[in-house]
C-alpha cells in the first residue's frame, strides 16, 4: 500500500543491488535446474563429494552430508543474523508511538513487522541445520550468541529512523546481497527474500532523510546530526579489517562469504557518497575523496576499538537491549505455557474422539 | 444539528477509536510473548491505523475546515478526542490486551458490516474494507481468550481478571445514537452472541453488568488519554507546519 509513495527502484538507492538480488535468484533457479548428480556413490569420500558440489556452485541442502565445522559456522552466522533482526526491532520500535505523521507511523509499523518476519524466517533456516529455535533464543538471552553491534546505539531523534533505513539497512543489503549466492540453499533463499524487503526499507529511510533535509532548518539539522552519529557505526557493521577477521578465509572457501569485509565496506562507501550529495547532507569524514587511481573513494576507517567494546557488551545500549529482550521473554512465559497447555488439551480431546 | 455535522461526529468518533487502539497496540512492538505474536499485534495495529486514516481523512472533508488526518490526530487536545474509553485503557498484561481487543473486534465487526451497507458511499467503502480486517482481529483475539481461559490455572486466573476489569467499558460501545448512519445500540445482540459463546468455551464467566463508565464521545476521558496524546503528538507539535 505505502509503496506507491516512492520512486521506482531504478531511481532510488539500492536499485543496482536489487538487480543483483534478482540475478542471484535466477542463478539459484538455474542451479536447481542443472540437477545435481544424485548424491555420493556408496564408496565415495563424503568430503570430496561436498567439495565437488561447492566447486560446481551448486547448493548444499539440509539432508546433505556437510563438514561439522561448516554446519556450526552456518548455525552461528544464521542465528546471529536472526537475533539481529529481533533486537533490531527495538531502536526503531522506540519511535512508533511518536512518529510525526500517520503515514510515517504506518510505514514504520510495517517495517518493524517485516523485521520480526525476517527473524522468524532466519530461525527457520537455522533449524534446517538441526538446532531448535528455542535453544537459539536461550543462547541470545544468556548472552552466549551475539547480534549486530549497530543495534547497541540509541535512536535519539526521529531522523535516526531515517538514518537507520538509509545507512544501516543499506550496509545490511551490501553485506547480504552476496549471501544470496551462499552455498547453503536455505540461507541463500532466505537472503533473497530478506534483501528484497530490506531494499524497500532502505528507500523509505532515504526518503525520510530527503524530506527532513529539504524541510525546515531544524529538520535539516536533525537529519545531519543523525547521519553524523550513524555513519561510523554503519561502516563498522562490515566487521574488523581483513587482516583481523578470524572467520573469513574458511567462509570464503566454503562460499558462505563471497567478498571480504573491506571489499564490502568500500562498496558501501562508494554507494553512499553520491546518495549523500542528492540528500544534501554531508558524510562526517573530512578525508573522504575520490581516488582516480583506485576508482574508489578514500575514507577514514571507523574506530575498531570502539567496535570491539560494543561487541563485548559495552556499547551505549547493550544492557538496555538485552534487558528488554529478557523481560519480554520472561513476562511472556505464562502465555506460552497457556498456549502449550491448551494445545495439549485439544490434542487429547481429539484422541478421545478418534478412540470413541 | 445538521445531517452533515452528525456524520462528521460519527466518522470522527470511529476514527478516534481506531487511532487510539492502534497507538496502544503499537506499544507492544518487540514486547510480545512470542515472535509470531509480535507480528500479529503489529499487523492488527496497522489495520486499525489504516482504518483511522481513512475515517479521519473523510471526517476532515465532512467538516470542511481544511483539516487533514494529521491535523486531526496531532493537533487536538484530549477534550476534543471522541474515542470510547475502552481503547485508551493501558495495555496491562497480555490478557488485558486480549480482552480489550476481543471486545473491540466483537463490536467493530458488526459495526463495519452494517456500515458497508449504509447510504453514505464513502463510509460504505470504508466499512467494506475494514470488516474483513475486523473478522481477522476477532478470530485472533477469540483464539487467545480461549487459549488463556482454558490453558493453565495461572492463565485462567489472569484472563478472568482481565475480562472482569475491562467489561464495564463495553457498555459505552453501544450507547444509542439513532441519528447516526449505524445506531450502535442495534449491534449489541451480535456482540453478546459471539462474546458469550467464546467466554463459555474459554471456561470464563461473563461478568455481571453494573458500573457503566462512559463519556468518551463527549471528550470526557480517563486520566490515561492525555499521557497517550502527549507522547503521540510531541514531535509533530514541536515543529509547527513542518512536512514529514
Amino acid at each position: 500500500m505505502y509503496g506507491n509513495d516512492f520512486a521506482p527502484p531504478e531511481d532510488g538507492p539500492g536499485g543496482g543491488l536489487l538487480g543483483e538480488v534478482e540475478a542471484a535468484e535466477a542463478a539459484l533457479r538455474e542451479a536447481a535446474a542443472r540437477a545435481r548428480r544424485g548424491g555420493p556413490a556408496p564408496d565415495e569420500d563424503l568430503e570430496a563429494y561436498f567439495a565437488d558440489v561447492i566447486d560446481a556452485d551448486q547448493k548444499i541442502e539440509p539432508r546433505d552430508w556437510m563438514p561439522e565445522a561448516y554446519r556450526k559456522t552456518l548455525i552461528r552466522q544464521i542465528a546471529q543474523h536472526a537475533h539481529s533482526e529481533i533486537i533490531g526491532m527495538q531502536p526503531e520500535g522506540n519511535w512508533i508511538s511518536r512518529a510525526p505523521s500517520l503515514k510515517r507511523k504506518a510505514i514504520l509499523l510495517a517495517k518493524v513487522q517485516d523485521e520480526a518476519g525476517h527473524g522468524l524466517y532466519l530461525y527457520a533456516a537455522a533449524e534446517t541445520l538441526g538446532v531448535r529455535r528455542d535453544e537459539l533464543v536461550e543462547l541470545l538471552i544468556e548472552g552466549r550468541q551475539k547480534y549486530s553491534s549497530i543495534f547497541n546505539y540509541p535512536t535519539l531523534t526521529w531522523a535516526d529512523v531515517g538514518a537507520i533505513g538509509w545507512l544501516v539497512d543499506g550496509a545490511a543489503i551490501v553485506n547480504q546481497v552476496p549471501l544470496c549466492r551462499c552455498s547453503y540453499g536455505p540461507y541463500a533463499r532466505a537472503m533473497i527474500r530478506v534483501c528484497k524487503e530490506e531494499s524497500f526499507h532502505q528507500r523509505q529511510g532515504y526518503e525520510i532523510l530527503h524530506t527532513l533535509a529539504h524541510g525546515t532548518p531544524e529538520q535539516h539539522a536533525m537529519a545531519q546530526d543523525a547521519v553524523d552519529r550513524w555513519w561510523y557505526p554503519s561502516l563498522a557493521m562490515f566487521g574488523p579489517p581483513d587482516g583481523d577477521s578470524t572467520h573469513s578465509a574458511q567462509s570464503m572457501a566454503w562460499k558462505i562469504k563471497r567478498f571480504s569485509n573491506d571489499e564490502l565496506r568500500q562498496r558501501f562507501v562508494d554507494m553512499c557518497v553520491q546518495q549523500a550529495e542528492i540528500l544534501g547532507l554531508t558524510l562526517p569524514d573530512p578525508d573522504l575523496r575520490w581516488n582516480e587511481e583506485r576508482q574508489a573513494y578514500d575514507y577514514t576507517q571507523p574506530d575498531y576499538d570502539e567496535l570491539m567494546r560494543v561487541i563485548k557488551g559495552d556499547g551505549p545500549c547493550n544492557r538496555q537491549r538485552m534487558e528488554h529482550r529478557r523481560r519480554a521473554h520472561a513476562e511472556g512465559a505464562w502465555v506460552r505455557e497457556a498456549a502449550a497447555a491448551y494445545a495439549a488439551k485439544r490434542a487429547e480431546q481429539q484422541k478421545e474422539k478418534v478412540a470413541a | 444539528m445538521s445531517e452533515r455535522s452528525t456524520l462528521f461526529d460519527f466518522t470522527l468518533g470511529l476514527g478516534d477509536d481506531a487511532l487510539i487502539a492502534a497507538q496502544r497496540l503499537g506499544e507492544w512492538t518487540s514486547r510480545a510473548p512470542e515472535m509470531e505474536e509480535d507480528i500479529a499485534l503489529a499487523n492488527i495495529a496497522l489495520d486499525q491505523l489504516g482504518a483511522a486514516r481513512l475515517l479521519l481523512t473523510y471526517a476532515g472533508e465532512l467538516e470542511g475546515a481544511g483539516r487533514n488526518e494529521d491535523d486531526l490526530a496531532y493537533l487536538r487536545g484530549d477534550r476534543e478526542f471522541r474515542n470510547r474509553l475502552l481503547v485508551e485503557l493501558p495495555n496491562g498484561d497480555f490478557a488485558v490486551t486480549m480482552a480489550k481487543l476481543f471486545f473491540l473486534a466483537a463490536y467493530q465487526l458488526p459495526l463495519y458490516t452494517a456500515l458497508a451497507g449504509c447510504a453514505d458511499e464513502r463510509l460504505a467503502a470504508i466499512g467494506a474494507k475494514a470488516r474483513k480486517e475486523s473478522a481477522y482481529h476477532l478470530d485472533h483475539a477469540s483464539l487467545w481468550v480461549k487459549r488463556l481461559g482454558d490453558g493453565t490455572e495461572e492463565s485462567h486466573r489472569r484472563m478472568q481478571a482481565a475480562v472482569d476489569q475491562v467489561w464495564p467499558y463495553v457498555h459505552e460501545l453501544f450507547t444509542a445514537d439513532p441519528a447516526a448512519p449505524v445506531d450502535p445500540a442495534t449491534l449489541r445482540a451480535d456482540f453478546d452472541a459471539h462474546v458469550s459463546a467464546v467466554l463459555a468455551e474459554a471456561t470464563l464467566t461473563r461478568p455481571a453488568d453494573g458500573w457503566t463508565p462512559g463519556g468518551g464521545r463527549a471528550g470526557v476521558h480517563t486520566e490515561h488519554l492525555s499521557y497517550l496524546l502527549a507522547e503521540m503528538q510531541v514531535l509533530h507539535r514541536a515543529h509547527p507546519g513542518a512536512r514529514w
Side-chain angles (χ1 to χ4, degrees):
Chain A
M1 287 296 113
Y2 44 85
N4 300 338
D5 305 332
F6 300 94
E10 52 276 18
D11 296 334
L17 289 169
L18 206 54
E20 284 183 43
V21 175
E22 272 154 22
E25 195 174 14
L28 200 61
R29 275 197 302 270
E30 272 168 37
R34 279 204 305 274
R36 258 171 34 182
R37 58 196 183 97
D43 54 348
E44 192 175 353
D45 177 35
L46 290 170
E47 297 216 21
Y49 176 76
F50 173 83
D52 262 6
V53 173
I54 301 268
D55 281 348
D57 264 335
Q58 290 182 319
K59 300 301 168 197
I60 303 294
E61 295 297 340
R63 287 160 193 268
D64 293 335
W65 180 88
M66 60 188 86
E68 206 41 40
Y70 177 85
R71 184 189 301 275
K72 284 207 170 114
T73 296
L74 276 168
I75 288 176
R76 194 194 70 240
Q77 184 173 338
I78 300 173
Q80 297 190 358
H81 195 159
H83 300 332
S84 301
E85 298 282 358
I86 296 304
I87 298 287
M89 295 167 74
Q90 292 182 40
E92 289 175 290
N94 183 35
W95 282 90
I96 288 174
S97 66
R98 292 172 293 167
S101 74
L102 297 186
K103 181 179 115 178
R104 290 290 173 211
K105 191 192 289 286
I107 291 172
L108 186 56
L109 258 172
K111 178 182 176 181
V112 176
Q113 186 190 4
D114 280 349
E115 279 160 11
H118 294 171
L120 284 184
Y121 203 50
L122 286 160
Y123 282 122
E127 284 188 321
T128 65
L129 291 158
V131 61
R132 288 196 332 272
R133 178 173 114 189
D134 52 2
E135 297 174 65
L136 298 175
V137 168
E138 281 302 318
L139 289 173
L140 169 66
I141 282 176
E142 291 164 11
R144 289 160 60 201
Q145 276 189 341
K146 307 283 185 203
Y147 54 88
S148 177
S149 60
I150 196 77
F151 300 119
N152 293 311
Y153 290 87
T155 48
L156 301 178
T157 71
W158 168 251
D160 290 33
V161 173
I164 287 183
W166 178 44
L167 295 174
V168 175
D169 293 336
I173 299 166
V174 169
N175 233 333
Q176 290 168 13
V177 161
L179 291 173
C180 296
R181 294 174 184 271
C182 146
S183 60
Y184 188 58
Y187 194 26
R189 291 188 287 273
M191 283 296 84
I192 285 171
R193 188 158 136 183
V194 169
C195 283
K196 285 182 181 177
E197 289 184 355
E198 290 292 357
S199 155
F200 187 53
H201 298 162
Q202 194 217 4
R203 273 193 288 138
Q204 291 166 347
Y206 181 86
E207 221 232 3
I208 288 175
L209 287 181
H210 194 272
T211 305
L212 294 175
H214 295 83
T216 66
E218 291 80 9
Q219 286 177 305
H220 184 95
M222 193 194 282
Q224 184 61 57
D225 169 62
V227 169
D228 290 349
R229 283 182 287 109
W230 288 92
W231 173 247
Y232 281 115
S234 302
L235 286 191
M237 280 174 72
F238 295 93
D242 291 350
D244 308 342
S245 183
T246 42
H247 305 295
S248 281
Q250 184 59 74
S251 286
M252 300 264 260
W254 278 328
K255 293 187 180 170
I256 295 175
K257 216 176 145 132
R258 296 280 182 148
F259 301 95
S260 78
N261 294 351
D262 287 332
E263 281 173 307
L264 292 171
R265 192 167 8 245
Q266 181 72 56
R267 187 181 295 187
F268 177 68
V269 170
D270 292 347
M271 189 180 98
C272 288
V273 173
Q274 274 189 327
Q275 292 171 4
E277 273 169 27
I278 304 170
L279 283 172
L281 296 171
T282 312
L283 296 174
D285 180 357
D287 294 327
L288 186 71
R289 58 179 56 85
W290 179 250
N291 182 325
E292 191 61 39
E293 207 173 305
R294 291 200 308 121
Q295 289 293 299
Y297 284 91
D298 291 336
Y299 63 95
T300 308
Q301 292 290 319
D303 177 352
Y304 292 110
D305 292 337
E306 175 180 317
L307 174 66
M308 288 308 142
R309 279 196 303 276
V310 176
I311 288 176
K312 284 190 182 127
D314 287 337
C317 295
N318 298 58
R319 287 161 178 78
Q320 179 187 332
R321 301 285 184 248
M322 288 299 287
E323 167 62 20
H324 181 106
R325 192 68 242 139
R326 282 196 205 104
R327 194 186 319 130
H329 191 72
E331 287 179 0
W334 70 273
V335 177
R336 297 190 298 275
E337 283 158 19
Y342 179 81
K345 281 186 202 175
R346 293 287 86 78
E348 192 59 36
Q349 283 172 356
Q350 201 59 34
K351 239 195 282 172
E352 281 165 19
K353 231 190 259 173
V354 172
Chain B
M1 203 187 279
S2 77
E3 198 181 315
R4 194 180 171 86
S5 135
T6 305
L7 206 55
F8 167 70
D9 287 342
F10 177 77
T11 307
L12 185 69
L14 297 192
D16 284 351
D17 285 345
L19 176 61
I20 303 302
Q23 184 74 3
R24 283 294 186 217
L25 287 165
E27 291 172 12
W28 271 100
T29 304
S30 82
R31 289 184 169 80
E34 51 188 37
M35 292 169 208
E36 285 81 355
E37 196 55 25
D38 245 320
I39 297 180
L41 291 174
N43 203 348
I44 296 169
L46 203 51
D47 287 344
Q48 292 284 351
L49 185 55
R53 294 181 65 190
L54 294 172
L55 289 161
L56 292 180
T57 298
Y58 186 39
E61 290 170 27
L62 287 167
E63 186 190 36
R67 292 203 279 184
N68 64 23
E69 58 176 21
D70 287 336
D71 298 327
L72 288 170
Y74 290 97
L75 300 176
R76 280 182 298 151
D78 54 306
R79 295 281 285 110
E80 297 162 285
F81 263 78
R82 294 288 176 263
N83 61 282
R84 264 75 176 249
L85 304 185
L86 173 77
V87 294
E88 74 196 42
L89 299 178
N91 282 336
D93 67 5
F94 188 69
V96 173
T97 291
M98 277 304 135
K100 283 171 52 181
L101 181 62
F102 174 53
F103 295 138
L104 179 68
Y107 150 76
Q108 281 180 331
L109 179 58
L111 167 77
Y112 288 136
T113 303
L115 208 59
C118 84
D120 186 280
E121 276 181 27
R122 282 284 287 283
L123 283 178
I126 295 170
K129 179 178 185 295
R131 75 175 165 188
K132 293 177 199 152
E133 296 164 351
S134 291
Y136 159 74
H137 305 167
L138 184 57
D139 271 351
H140 189 75
S142 300
L143 187 53
W144 271 116
V145 168
K146 289 187 242 174
R147 279 183 187 137
L148 298 179
D150 194 18
T152 63
E153 245 175 72
E154 167 76 353
S155 70
H156 178 85
R157 180 186 67 74
R158 289 193 191 226
M159 196 62 234
Q160 184 67 57
V163 167
D164 292 346
Q165 182 191 325
V166 171
W167 185 256
Y169 296 91
V170 156
H171 308 293
E172 189 195 6
L173 301 174
F174 302 100
T175 310
D177 185 3
V182 172
D183 181 354
T186 62
L187 307 169
R188 181 81 203 221
D190 258 354
F191 174 90
D192 281 335
H194 187 85
V195 163
S196 297
V198 171
L199 290 181
E201 209 188 318
T203 72
L204 296 166
T205 309
R206 182 182 153 139
D209 296 342
W211 181 47
T212 57
R217 283 287 191 262
V220 181
H221 292 276
T222 65
E223 290 178 348
H224 305 294
L225 184 66
S226 79
Y227 285 100
L228 180 150
L229 295 181
E231 184 174 345
M232 184 171 88
Q233 298 175 340
V234 60
L235 178 59
H236 187 95
R237 284 188 186 260
H239 298 265
R243 278 183 54 248
W244 299 98

